[in-house]
């Protein structure tokens, strides 16, 4: 399982790549949105790797609880971030929703990663 841990440390997208993308986009909504989309995909992959590794190393009863908790977290993430799209107070609402998804997903990946032995 060490290979999986190593791949988490070498996540598909490093923060510097994301920051560089945003700098090049220079705050233009379409270009910034593309950066967020790319980083969200990278963080989702990182989350999935952490989840799978944690699931594999867990006892059966812990696996069931982790699966239940992850399903609940996915529902929370979708509902919480949807708020940004529904409010309509800002033309950039869709970017804000995706930025929320990115931030929450990255945080969850770190959280699960810290639980891996």
């Amino acid at each position: 399982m060490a290979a999986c841990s190593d791949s988490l440390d070498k996540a598909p997208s490093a923060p510097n790549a994301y920051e560089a993308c945003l700098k090049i986009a220079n705050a233009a909504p379409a270009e910034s949105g593309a950066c967020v989309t790319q980083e969200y995909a990278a963080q989702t992959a990182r989350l999935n790797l952490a989840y799978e590794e944690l699931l594999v190393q867990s006892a059966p009863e812990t696996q069931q609880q982790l699966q239940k908790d992850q399903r609940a977290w996915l529902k929370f993430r979708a509902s919480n971030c949807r708020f940004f799209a529904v409010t309509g107070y800002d033309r950039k609402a869709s970017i804000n929703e995706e930025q929320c998804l990115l931030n929450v997903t990255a945080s969850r990946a770190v959280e699960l990663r810290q639980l891996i032995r």
Side-chain angles (χ1 to χ4, degrees):
M1 233 355 124
C4 197
S5 294
D6 293 344
S7 64
L8 282 173
D9 294 333
K10 298 170 187 153
S13 178
N16 290 341
Y18 178 56
E19 291 169 10
C21 182
L22 289 176
K23 188 174 183 178
I24 291 168
N26 197 24
E31 290 80 6
S32 296
C35 297
V36 171
T37 299
Q38 183 178 1
E39 185 64 14
Y40 174 56
Q43 292 300 325
T44 298
R46 190 167 178 250
L47 171 64
N48 290 340
L49 284 172
Y51 173 76
E52 289 300 323
E53 185 169 350
L54 187 57
L55 196 62
V56 166
Q57 78 172 21
S58 299
E61 60 277 0
T62 305
Q63 287 178 348
Q64 290 177 351
Q65 186 62 48
L66 177 60
Q67 289 169 333
K68 181 181 173 185
D69 291 348
Q70 189 67 3
R71 285 186 202 109
W73 177 83
L74 288 167
K75 288 178 183 177
F76 162 78
R77 178 185 68 174
S79 177
N80 186 57
C81 293
R82 193 171 306 118
F83 167 80
F84 290 102
V86 178
T87 58
Y89 71 90
D90 188 344
R91 292 182 336 175
K92 298 185 225 174
S94 63
I95 293 172
N96 290 337
E97 179 180 15
E98 197 162 23
Q99 184 68 53
C100 174
L101 290 167
L102 165 59
N103 294 343
V104 173
T105 301
S107 294
R108 179 68 172 177
V110 168
E111 182 179 90
L112 292 183
R113 181 74 181 103
Q114 290 173 344
L115 296 173
I116 296 171
R117 292 180 229 137

